[in-house]
Amino acid sequence: MALKIVKGSIDRMFDKNLQDLVRGIRNHKEDEAKYISTCIDEIKQELKQDNIAVKANAVCKLTYLQMLGYDVSWAAFNIVEVMSSSKFTYKRIGYLAASQCFHESTDVIMLTTNQIRKDLSSPNQYDTGVALTGLSCFVTPDLARDLANDIMTLMSHTKPYIRKKAVLIMYKVFLKYPESLRPAFPRLKEKLEDPDPGVQSAAVNVICELARRNPKNYLSLAPLFFKLMTSSTNNWVLIKIIKLFGALTPLEPRLGKKLIEPLTNLIHRALDLLYGMVSKKNLMEIVKKLMLHVDKAEGTTYRDELLTKIIDICSQSNYQYITNFEWYISILVELTRLEGTRHGHLIASQMLDVAIRVKAIRIFAVAQMATLLDNAHLLTGNMQRNGICEVLYAAAWICGEFSEHLENPMQTLEAMLRPKVATLPGHIQAVYVQNAAKLFSTVLKSQEGSTEGTAAQETSQLMIDRLPLFVQSANLEVQERASCILQLVKYIQKLQQKEVEVAEEVSALFAGELNPVAPKAQKKVPVPEGLDLDAWINEPPSESESEDEQPKAIFAKEEPKHSRSRHTEVDEKELARRREARKQEQANNPFYIKASPSSQKVYQESPGVEHIPVVQIDLTVPLKVPGLPMSDQYLKLEEERRQKERADKKKKEKKKRKEKRSGRGRRHDSGPESEEDITPAHMVDIVTEEMPEEYHLNIEPQKSLIFERSQK
Amino acid sequence: MMRFLLLFSRQGRLRLQKWFTPMMDREKKKIIRDMTTMVLSRQPRTCNFMQWKDLKIIYKRYASLYFCLAIESQENELLALEVIHRYVELLDKYFGNVCELDIIFNFEKAYFILDEFLMGGEIQETSKQIVNRSIDASDMLQEDDSSEWYEVQLFG
């Protein structure tokens, strides 16, 4: 007898465990089927043994074989035996095997009911856990019916680990046995406010899933979910709740209204994320997506937000992420076609900024601006301040300043002097007039050189004909500029009639390049000696006088109070007015570079907001102004360019890779392109900002004023 | 709700299969065949999301393994990608720089980890620490068990 046991033990030592089995299969690649059938025979022998450890080992191997595609349903009873072991290790293996191969028509499933019930009430939480997890895979209607009560009690278990699993499995139980929902529902609702976050999210999950199938019954829970949404920081939960609201909102319109606020917050958080996400590679794609949204969000503040965002992310860090400025300008021009936006001045300032600082792009920019001016009648609809007509301001200035790049300056000049221009806001007209003068000088220069002597005189006549309209403008600035220039042109005409070459002198009027001034330049200007900014210029008014002047009147006591309160009131009003005036001035000044936006508050990640459907939309034909390219072309061009670069690089890399062949542990993909790989479409030479002469940039590196892009 | 999760190698050998709804073996085999052919025939830079019958299939390749997750149509695909990635992170934490061989030789451990992370087709626990803690605790229990087993063997 003893010998038999010893022999048995020795046999057991030669049993293959899982590792041996796997290794064996890998070593027998040619005759795998034969090897495996031998193994299965061995397993059948092992299953006949009494020893539960041996059985568990066998079942483990069977699970592996099942994964390879072999049928193991004949061992179902043995699996149940292993499940009933008291040792956690074997129980685990048993439940694993069961979850892999049990299904509704497995006959031994009924035998498991009691075993599972026992495990569910086990003192060891991991026993219960493993039973719950396994059950979730093979629960049948019968099992559900029998075990529903036990699981419900478990929802109030002391350990959150168990509560969480119990809550989750209730969903499966409800699916198989719907009658269990009614008694369990109150408990489920309680779990929504469970102190443990895991249990809470499990409850949210279950209720969300249930509510999606039958939204009406769960409408009463909406306030509770609303509270959860605003207070939760767990993103997975947030996503689920938002999805739930997506299902509930069609039934309850008031809910929709109430949701707008938190959802817009979420969208803002997502948009803010864009700041960090932007890189050279994805900027164009991101902006394209945002433009789609902008087109969809007609006439809302959301659209303006998007617009601001687009411009912000593009102009970050001195346009660090833009590889193709032509694309950016075309984006800006597309944005101008939007109606009803309040950010015309923002677009205008961007255009100016780009045109001034990026020399290489000036030709393109000027061409675009000329087209804009020609088609200005499409844009003059919006009369509000900061409306889109602000863009014309930028267009006129750019055409004037860089008029040497214009293809047809005469045409642009005529466009600027059209009578309709007089309907534009005053400050824009002023710019038009000034720049018309600049253009005039360029036109003269080109015309005087040619043999057509009369062309120059015709130009002067044109100016003389059109300017009087502006001289009569109600706006002081326009009036002043127009009359100055009109006189100048009349004088020039007289000289022309005397056949004097005037062009050189006229262009001398506008010679010299205007460069952007750094925002901190003023501070760096050294204060000249002998100047004391704090000293009074005149003598301060003496205190005694003001006191004497108090009028002796009936209301003597009240008056001081009045004057005092009025005084403070006036101060505040005055301050506000001054602030406004300063802002206006800054906005209108093309040489004022605005400081970079204040650092954004750090928001948590908010991955994707579901209710914004990403859908292919048929864009209703956007205002197609002839001559203006669509920014999509650039996107495609950029893609092709990068493809080509990548293809060239791959050829080089393939040679390198053949030498290095690494084995395990390499997890990454073909390797993302690094930022440095992307060469910009033009070599960008951004104009340096002006600083006071004695001041060298090298002394104090200032991050926000990086100019010169390193050439790669 | 998630319907199933499959892991298979580039040669089409199945390394892990998790079914969140009970199914007949025949069905399972067919699904495995379909998935492997569909996913393995995809070009490298194509989208990770596919439509199959009434389900959405999300797959991602990590070194030599393809992780393939099927979700119902109302679910969010990006979330599914996150789920896959989270599972890989959990495996990585447990095995230390996980590779396909780890999963081949310790497939039951991979299942146990998955059982702590997902259950019934839903995310069970979003905190990595808690999942790791449960797995470690269960492993400790197993160690206690195995020492006893040895004694039983010797003394009958």
Side-chain angles (χ1 to χ4, degrees):
Chain A
M1 182 65 183
L3 199 57
K4 210 171 169 194
I5 295 175
V6 171
K7 184 164 173 287
S9 306
I10 295 178
D11 276 342
R12 296 287 73 75
M13 274 197 277
F14 290 121
D15 275 345
K16 289 199 197 61
N17 65 4
L18 176 66
Q19 308 252 334
D20 300 326
L21 174 69
V22 177
R23 229 174 270 134
I25 294 177
R26 284 168 75 82
N27 290 334
H28 284 173
K29 288 219 170 81
E30 315 81 46
D31 55 341
E32 197 175 292
K34 202 167 128 266
Y35 180 75
I36 289 182
S37 55
T38 344
C39 289
I40 292 185
D41 289 332
E42 286 172 14
I43 290 173
K44 286 191 174 139
Q45 287 302 313
E46 289 168 26
L47 285 174
K48 292 204 185 102
Q49 305 296 320
D50 288 330
N51 191 326
I52 195 77
V54 175
K55 285 207 184 132
N57 185 30
V59 164
C60 195
K61 288 192 278 184
L62 273 180
T63 320
Y64 187 78
L65 290 175
Q66 194 248 2
M67 190 167 72
L68 295 181
Y70 294 85
D71 173 47
V72 297
S73 44
W74 49 267
F77 184 72
N78 295 301
I79 294 176
V80 178
E81 274 185 306
V82 176
M83 268 162 73
S84 55
S85 158
S86 50
K87 294 265 191 297
F88 176 65
T89 321
Y90 311 138
K91 197 188 285 287
R92 219 182 186 189
I93 293 176
Y95 272 104
L96 175 64
S99 57
Q100 294 296 99
C101 42
F102 282 9
H103 50 76
E104 306 231 343
S105 41
T106 309
D107 18 357
V108 298
I109 263 195
M110 292 309 293
L111 299 174
T112 61
T113 323
N114 268 324
Q115 180 55 45
I116 297 179
R117 195 173 279 139
K118 239 177 59 182
D119 284 328
L120 289 183
S121 39
S122 160
N124 181 353
Q125 63 170 331
Y126 294 105
D127 278 347
T128 321
V130 91
L132 282 171
T133 318
L135 181 62
S136 74
C137 296
F138 57 80
V139 63
T140 61
D142 294 323
L143 275 176
R145 193 190 55 230
D146 294 333
L147 296 169
N149 280 317
D150 301 88
I151 300 176
M152 272 197 280
T153 7
L154 280 180
M155 280 210 277
S156 322
H157 198 272
T158 43
K159 293 260 193 297
Y161 179 74
I162 301 298
R163 288 205 299 272
K164 181 177 63 182
K165 289 197 191 250
V167 166
L168 271 178
I169 205 182
M170 278 315 282
Y171 180 61
K172 278 288 163 106
V173 169
F174 294 150
L175 285 181
K176 294 286 177 188
Y177 181 59
E179 288 89 20
S180 57
L181 179 54
R182 199 156 289 256
F185 191 65
R187 271 223 197 152
L188 204 52
K189 255 178 39 173
E190 276 174 28
K191 293 301 132 198
L192 277 178
E193 293 165 330
D194 191 287
D196 182 87
V199 182
Q200 200 181 39
S201 18
V204 168
N205 261 329
V206 172
I207 296 195
C208 284
E209 289 299 312
L210 287 172
R212 272 201 296 150
R213 285 164 187 267
N214 203 348
K216 284 197 297 290
N217 305 346
Y218 300 90
L219 218 45
S220 55
L221 288 175
L224 183 55
F225 275 112
F226 194 82
K227 200 179 80 176
L228 274 174
M229 183 170 86
T230 43
S231 58
S232 172
T233 52
N234 186 337
N235 292 319
W236 308 84
V237 168
L238 277 178
I239 293 174
K240 263 273 158 22
I241 298 182
I242 291 175
K243 237 194 319 179
L244 170 65
F245 278 130
L248 288 179
T249 322
L251 303 172
E252 177 64 73
R254 286 178 296 165
L255 183 62
K257 284 193 209 129
K258 201 167 176 211
L259 278 175
I260 289 179
E261 203 214 307
L263 286 180
T264 28
N265 282 339
L266 280 169
I267 298 175
H268 283 314
R269 275 156 72 176
L271 281 179
D272 283 335
L273 259 189
L274 279 176
Y275 267 102
M277 265 171 57
V278 153
S279 73
K280 279 189 203 169
K281 273 196 294 173
N282 57 26
L283 179 68
M284 284 165 96
E285 296 277 349
I286 290 181
V287 171
K288 185 172 165 197
K289 274 271 156 77
L290 286 176
M291 297 285 278
L292 283 177
H293 279 302
V294 163
D295 273 317
K296 274 203 308 184
E298 288 259 349
T300 57
T301 47
Y302 179 50
R303 182 186 241 190
D304 285 340
E305 291 283 338
L306 277 179
L307 206 147
T308 336
K309 267 291 150 29
I310 292 177
I311 293 186
D312 280 342
I313 57 179
C314 288
S315 55
Q316 271 190 55
S317 318
N318 253 341
Y319 307 105
Q320 182 186 353
Y321 299 114
I322 300 190
T323 48
N324 188 340
F325 277 93
E326 280 185 28
W327 165 82
Y328 185 47
I329 294 207
S330 50
I331 288 277
L332 287 174
V333 169
E334 271 183 39
L335 285 174
T336 61
R337 299 190 209 143
L338 298 174
E339 293 173 2
T341 177
R342 291 177 288 119
H343 295 293
H345 70 98
L346 191 59
I347 302 177
S349 67
Q350 283 294 296
M351 286 185 180
L352 287 173
D353 212 20
V354 170
I356 295 172
R357 289 158 135 217
V358 187
K359 277 188 182 156
I361 208 62
R362 281 180 192 166
I363 304 173
F364 178 75
V366 160
Q368 294 296 301
M369 296 300 117
T371 327
L372 252 183
L373 283 176
D374 281 342
N375 297 297
H377 56 277
L378 296 165
L379 297 169
T380 47
N382 193 343
M383 280 307 127
Q384 296 168 17
R385 204 143 178 73
N386 294 336
I388 276 305
C389 46
E390 291 287 325
V391 174
L392 293 173
Y393 167 113
W397 194 87
I398 292 173
C399 286
E401 184 70 10
F402 305 120
S403 47
E404 63 267 22
H405 300 301
L406 269 176
E407 273 195 28
N408 191 347
M410 196 59 204
Q411 191 187 2
T412 317
L413 183 60
E414 280 183 357
M416 272 197 200
L417 294 172
R418 276 188 215 141
K420 224 178 166 209
V421 170
T423 52
L424 289 174
H427 62 290
I428 299 182
Q429 284 187 51
V431 172
Y432 263 60
V433 166
Q434 188 77 7
N435 287 286
K438 293 185 201 166
L439 267 180
F440 176 59
S441 91
T442 321
V443 167
L444 270 188
K445 217 167 157 188
S446 63
Q447 284 177 340
E448 268 193 19
S450 66
T451 47
E452 300 166 12
T454 50
Q457 295 197 19
E458 276 172 18
T459 320
S460 312
Q461 191 56 39
L462 174 73
M463 295 285 282
I464 293 177
D465 288 337
R466 302 278 182 92
L467 280 174
L469 178 64
F470 295 100
V471 173
Q472 290 159 14
S473 163
N475 185 304
L476 271 180
E477 184 68 27
V478 176
Q479 231 184 61
E480 194 174 328
R481 292 190 189 185
S483 25
C484 279
I485 293 172
L486 186 58
Q487 289 308 312
L488 184 65
V489 173
K490 283 187 178 158
Y491 185 64
I492 291 174
Q493 198 181 42
K494 280 199 197 127
L495 286 175
Q496 280 177 336
Q497 280 159 357
K498 293 185 196 157
E499 308 251 321
V500 177
E501 299 275 312
V502 208
E504 282 300 317
E505 288 172 357
V506 176
S507 53
L509 276 177
F510 302 112
E513 218 175 75
L514 294 164
N515 287 328
V517 180
K520 296 196 184 149
Q522 181 62 51
K523 282 199 197 140
K524 306 299 175 209
V525 173
V527 179
E529 289 191 24
L531 175 65
D532 178 10
L533 289 169
D534 294 320
W536 286 90
I537 296 176
N538 296 318
E539 284 194 17
S542 49
E543 296 297 322
S544 53
E545 282 177 29
S546 51
E547 281 182 50
D548 283 352
E549 273 175 10
Q550 268 190 33
K552 290 177 186 151
I554 317 169
F555 307 105
K557 281 196 189 150
E558 290 182 39
E559 272 206 40
K561 274 193 226 157
H562 273 284
S563 59
R564 230 178 289 139
S565 59
R566 231 180 295 129
H567 200 59
T568 48
E569 229 185 325
V570 162
D571 266 354
E572 281 169 5
K573 269 198 208 150
E574 180 76 337
L575 279 173
R577 201 172 51 74
R578 286 191 201 144
R579 220 176 286 139
E580 256 312 301
R582 218 184 312 133
K583 274 199 197 142
Q584 291 293 356
E585 211 189 314
Q586 287 173 5
N588 292 338
N589 186 348
F591 305 121
Y592 186 85
I593 303 297
K594 297 186 181 60
S596 48
S598 58
S599 59
Q600 300 289 319
K601 287 185 242 161
V602 176
Y603 284 118
Q604 288 166 327
E605 295 179 22
S606 180
V609 182
E610 273 235 333
H611 81 294
I612 303 181
V614 179
V615 160
Q616 275 304 319
I617 43 169
D618 251 350
L619 285 175
T620 52
V621 182
L623 208 49
K624 263 203 172 134
V625 182
L628 291 177
M630 299 292 274
S631 52
D632 279 351
Q633 290 176 348
Y634 290 110
L635 199 52
K636 292 196 189 106
L637 272 175
E638 185 71 18
E639 282 287 317
E640 286 167 17
R641 201 175 62 83
R642 287 186 194 163
Q643 293 272 20
K644 238 189 69 187
E645 266 185 36
R646 243 178 267 148
D648 293 333
K649 266 207 190 129
K650 262 194 181 149
K651 286 184 197 150
K652 289 184 201 161
E653 273 190 33
K654 254 190 181 163
K655 290 181 193 160
K656 279 192 198 164
R657 265 200 203 146
K658 275 197 174 152
E659 295 152 18
K660 291 192 223 170
R661 268 270 171 89
S662 53
R664 327 162 19 158
R666 258 278 204 79
R667 195 177 321 198
H668 53 81
D669 280 321
S670 44
E673 280 182 359
S674 55
E675 284 281 288
E676 291 81 43
D677 291 346
I678 301 184
T679 51
H682 325 275
M683 280 305 137
V684 185
D685 175 26
I686 301 191
V687 177
T688 59
E689 290 174 346
E690 290 199 340
M691 287 288 236
E693 282 145 10
E694 304 86 35
Y695 198 74
H696 298 295
L697 287 165
N698 293 329
I699 299 178
E700 244 182 61
Q702 287 162 327
K703 277 190 297 173
S704 55
L705 306 175
I706 316 165
F707 329 105
E708 265 144 353
R709 289 248 180 110
S710 51
Q711 310 249 333
K712 296 213 169 107
Chain B
M1 194 181 106
M2 294 174 258
R3 290 289 179 85
F4 56 83
L5 170 67
L6 300 175
L7 263 73
F8 45 86
S9 69
R10 280 203 52 79
Q11 288 78 33
R13 315 254 319 182
L14 193 64
R15 298 300 178 201
L16 203 111
Q17 51 170 346
K18 184 75 187 176
W19 308 90
F20 295 108
T21 36
M23 270 191 259
M24 304 294 297
D25 271 349
R26 258 199 320 272
E27 279 179 70
K28 288 187 192 174
K29 283 214 174 83
K30 183 165 179 307
I31 290 177
I32 294 172
R33 252 201 326 268
D34 286 344
M35 288 298 115
T36 38
T37 23
M38 262 197 340
V39 172
L40 289 175
S41 57
R42 297 279 278 187
Q43 297 295 316
R45 284 192 182 268
T46 42
C47 181
N48 292 60
F49 311 144
M50 297 189 281
Q51 186 72 28
W52 181 77
K53 298 200 185 164
D54 60 331
L55 301 173
K56 289 197 245 201
I57 309 293
I58 283 82
Y59 73 93
K60 188 139 174 36
R61 178 172 165 210
Y62 286 86
S64 53
L65 267 184
Y66 281 92
F67 285 70
C68 174
L69 181 61
I71 56 177
E72 288 173 351
S73 22
Q74 328 94 319
E75 296 286 332
N76 185 315
E77 307 92 328
L78 292 170
L79 197 59
L81 264 184
E82 282 295 311
V83 164
I84 293 178
H85 190 68
R86 179 55 71 93
Y87 181 49
V88 172
E89 285 178 342
L90 289 169
L91 287 173
D92 189 49
K93 187 79 198 299
Y94 183 77
F95 288 109
N97 215 10
V98 66
C99 59
E100 192 183 341
L101 282 176
D102 288 326
I103 301 184
I104 295 173
F105 279 101
N106 302 296
F107 82 114
E108 81 276 13
K109 301 228 175 60
Y111 276 113
F112 296 149
I113 296 174
L114 188 61
D115 283 338
E116 292 298 321
F117 174 46
L118 304 172
M119 188 171 113
E122 298 290 331
I123 300 170
Q124 194 189 140
E125 180 56 64
T126 52
S127 158
K128 276 193 271 194
Q129 291 163 328
I130 297 187
V131 175
N132 287 325
R133 236 181 276 154
S134 327
I135 299 175
D136 291 337
S138 324
D139 279 347
M140 299 282 244
L141 273 181
Q142 278 201 246
E143 275 180 26
D144 295 339
D145 284 351
S146 51
S147 51
E148 288 181 35
W149 170 91
Y150 188 57
E151 290 170 26
V152 165
Q153 275 297 82
L154 283 185
F155 301 111

